[in-house]
Amino acid sequence: MRAFTFERAGSIGQAAVSAAKPGAKVIAGGTNLLDLMKLQVETPSQLIDINRLPLDKIEDTQVGGLRIGALVRNSDLAADQRVRVRYGVLSRALLAGASPQLRNKATTGGNLLQRTRCSYFYDITIPCNKRSPGSGCSALGGFNRMHAILGASDQCIATNPSDMAVALRVLDAEIETVDAAGNTRAIPIADFHRLPGQTPQIETALRPGEIITAVVLPPPPPGVQLYRKVRDRASYAFALVSVAAVVETVGGRIRSARLAFGGLAPKPWRVPGAEEHLVGSAATASSFDAAATTVLTNAAGHGGNDFKIPLARRTLHAALTAVTRT
Amino acid sequence: MDEDTIIRVQVTRRAMLEAGTAAAAILVTGFAQTTQAASLPDAEGSLTQMAVTLQVNGHGHSLNLDPRTTLLDALREHLALTGSKKGCDHGQCGACTVLLEGRRINSCLTLAVLHDGHAITTIEGLADGAALHPLQAAFVEHDGFQCGYCTSGQICSAAGMLSESRAGMPSYVTADLAEAQPALTDVEIRERMSGNICRCGAYPNIVAAIRQTAGLPS
């Protein structure tokens, strides 16, 4: 680990000012940042500890949603009774990720900022455009079993590893931030993560020094919620494919549908056309297949991950079957 | 090997570990200072040790640490509490599990300076004097280990897990999330303990030990 100076932030404003300095990084749970610092993938010259800031509450909003403080730990969010009852897809997604020890540390804001687990990104001796722009992508033509089939570019085919973010995407969450000048804004989750394009090193819409203060959930959408995750072992593994679904079915017909996917793309993936296709359709295998075809229209494998295309189709089929069973 | 020999060997091993810790600390300090001074264009501040007070197993310890020191290294290298093990050092194996304010965490994936004033319980702090913690006794009774390297992490993790279960926290396999107090079945125990890897594969006996401690029928 490279040497750094350590500063404990006394206020959110002070944290944002410090975080705007070159080389500075905010640390909350640290479960991904310290992992990357040990490998010198991340080499901050200063760490800003925000753990003692008052951002650890879950509050009801006036419109019937929830405001989740950026420092709420993943385990506490998953166990919150309001989340369990009204946002089950979020509780399930959180509980599907990492291990209990990590969830006790990992925060809501940090989870959104975690980096890809592409093994080439993690190895500083090997080219990677995300870690070292312009050096090349080793996953293209390399071992790319875990990699993206949607939304990737010729510069980077890494996936976003978060389960939580997939649930937030299906729930249309907003991410509240503050910057060094004290300006606040709310970023829709759809716009928060960036596709790699020609700049895979830029992963989010956050500007230098901008700090996540909260995640806001709108009132829960109608319907049955489900998070289905397919992985290499039964627990404590990243998704090959995951599906977050919120579907309302009346009399065997789908009234409303929301679908988000993990493990397939550089960001939590949603295809409005597939959701529109389901609305008004009978909850049958042929409807589910048509939705899967729409989701996977532009899917492209890279050799090792070709299997994800049929796996995504089958996982969506299973998820829709479960969520429309009444 | 008779019993006296075994005891002598154990004492010698502990004494060696403690002496070795002191020697290692000197070596590490010397090496770190050399590399820091050489590699940093502006070393001001970076060489500063930070004062940290950790409440470990009920005792306050004031330390001056390089900010890079993980909680695990602070426990092992600075406080000679070598019960917490370094397996992967990347939060993947669970051997370093300790309780932070009563909640289980991976001590390898956090910095000691993040925990000034916090209460930490390690495997050394679970027993009540000569009386083993019920989980320790159950692991012995059920042979919940072979080589033993993961055991202190398994036991600390199990202690945290039982608290979480008593508090009604759900897991990925909990059928009904709305249920206030999900039952602790074997499937639940296995899912809730998935952050602790045992390469010897003692899992059935670990589950049995935890089941007994939780007061569940065998």
Side-chain angles (χ1 to χ4, degrees), chain A residues 8 35 38 84 92 235-236, chain B residues 90-91 108 174 177 179 194:
Chain A
R8 193 168 292 138
D35 191 22
K38 288 182 181 191
R84 284 158 73 168
R92 291 261 181 231
S235 184
Y236 201 9
Chain B
H90 285 279
C108 77
T174 302
L177 285 176
E179 194 178 333
S194 72

Side-chain angles (χ1 to χ4, degrees), chain B residues 116-145:
Chain B
D116 188 41
H118 290 172
I120 290 129
T121 305
T122 68
I123 188 72
E124 290 92 343
L126 285 183
D128 181 7
L132 293 179
H133 183 282
L135 276 165
Q136 291 174 311
F139 268 65
V140 172
E141 184 181 337
H142 289 276
D143 262 343
F145 44 78

Side-chain angles (χ1 to χ4, degrees), chain B residues 158 161-166 169 171 174 179 181-193 207 210-211 213-217:
Chain B
M161 184 276 277
L162 291 175
S163 300
E164 292 163 11
S165 174
R166 281 192 295 271
M169 293 176 89
S171 87
T174 302
E179 194 178 333
Q181 195 66 50
L184 198 56
T185 61
D186 278 10
V187 174
E188 284 276 6
I189 291 172
R190 285 174 178 275
E191 165 60 24
R192 289 165 189 258
M193 290 296 293
V207 172
I210 293 172
R211 193 197 297 126
T213 309
L216 301 169

Side-chain angles (χ1 to χ4, degrees), chain A residues 1-2 4 8 31 34-35 38 49 52 75-76 81 84 92 96 100-102 104-105 231 235-236, chain B residues 68 89-92 97 103-104 108-110 113 115-116 164 168 172 174-175 177 179 191 194 196:
Chain A
M1 201 185 293
R2 294 278 179 84
F4 54 82
R8 193 168 292 138
T31 53
L34 290 169
D35 191 22
K38 288 182 181 191
D49 173 15
R52 298 180 195 231
S75 50
D76 293 326
Q81 200 63 26
R84 284 158 73 168
R92 291 261 181 231
Q101 288 97 315
L102 291 167
N104 276 340
K105 259 283 189 179
R231 45 187 159 173
S235 184
Y236 201 9
Chain B
R68 287 174 290 184
D89 208 23
H90 285 279
Q92 297 175 1
T97 302
R103 293 159 61 114
R104 52 182 167 160
C108 77
L109 273 192
T110 190
V113 292
H115 298 295
D116 188 41
E164 292 163 11
Y172 185 66
T174 302
L177 285 176
E179 194 178 333
E191 165 60 24
S194 72
N196 293 80

